[in-house]
Amino acid sequence: MYISLIFQRELSFAVENGELLFIQTFGEMPENPDFPIPAEVKERVGHATLKVGETELMFSDTFPGSPFSSGNQVSICITTDSVEQAQKMFDALQQGGQVGMPLQETHFSPAYGNVTDKFGVTFQMFTEARS
């Protein structure tokens, strides 16, 4: 599960009830000259992982200009260690749906993308980097 927040308001509550495994601000991410990070966004959470019980939840703050309305802040994150498997699942989910970000290599994954399926459910496809 992946939960989008509005500027860290809910994250403090979540951390009090779990173990923060990882946190990175937008400002700590590798720079991309094609997509510069505005100064006012650099302190927002770009990605965080919180363990609650035996479950790992992933969070981020919303990026200014990203659509946010009650109901779209939760998505399902499917994790795999195979780029081929990620592509197969992504292709199936996009049939009749809407691609938000094509499956592609990023600084944190060899294949990452997001898609809203034909039923309106948003999925993030995350491929773990092989060591």
Side-chain angles (χ1 to χ4, degrees):
M1 180 179 300
Y2 204 100
I3 303 171
S4 296
L5 308 174
I6 302 176
F7 199 52
Q8 302 180 7
R9 285 193 303 219
E10 296 91 346
L11 187 59
S12 61
F13 170 79
V15 170
E16 291 173 12
N17 296 283
E19 177 187 358
L20 188 62
L21 301 177
F22 178 82
I23 189 164
Q24 181 180 52
T25 66
F26 285 109
E28 294 170 329
M29 293 180 174
E31 291 190 32
N32 181 339
D34 295 329
F35 301 100
I37 303 291
E40 67 273 11
V41 177
K42 290 188 176 189
E43 295 303 313
R44 292 187 183 195
V45 175
H47 179 74
T49 304
L50 178 71
K51 186 169 186 173
V52 179
E54 296 303 313
T55 302
E56 290 185 12
L57 301 173
M58 293 176 279
F59 296 85
S60 69
D61 283 324
T62 55
F63 197 86
S66 297
F68 182 91
S69 63
S70 183
N72 77 350
Q73 70 269 29
V74 176
S75 60
I76 297 171
C77 183
I78 299 174
T79 303
T80 182
D81 62 0
S82 163
V83 172
E84 295 77 21
Q85 183 66 23
Q87 188 67 62
K88 183 178 178 181
M89 289 186 285
F90 193 85
D91 290 345
L93 289 167
Q94 72 177 330
Q95 296 301 315
Q98 177 77 32
V99 173
M101 177 179 174
L103 193 67
Q104 60 191 284
E105 185 174 351
T106 66
H107 72 274
F108 57 86
S109 174
Y112 173 83
N114 66 63
V115 60
T116 301
D117 73 4
K118 63 184 175 185
F119 302 106
V121 178
T122 300
F123 292 85
Q124 295 183 50
M125 187 62 56
F126 174 72
T127 308
E128 294 179 321
R130 293 184 180 156
S131 302

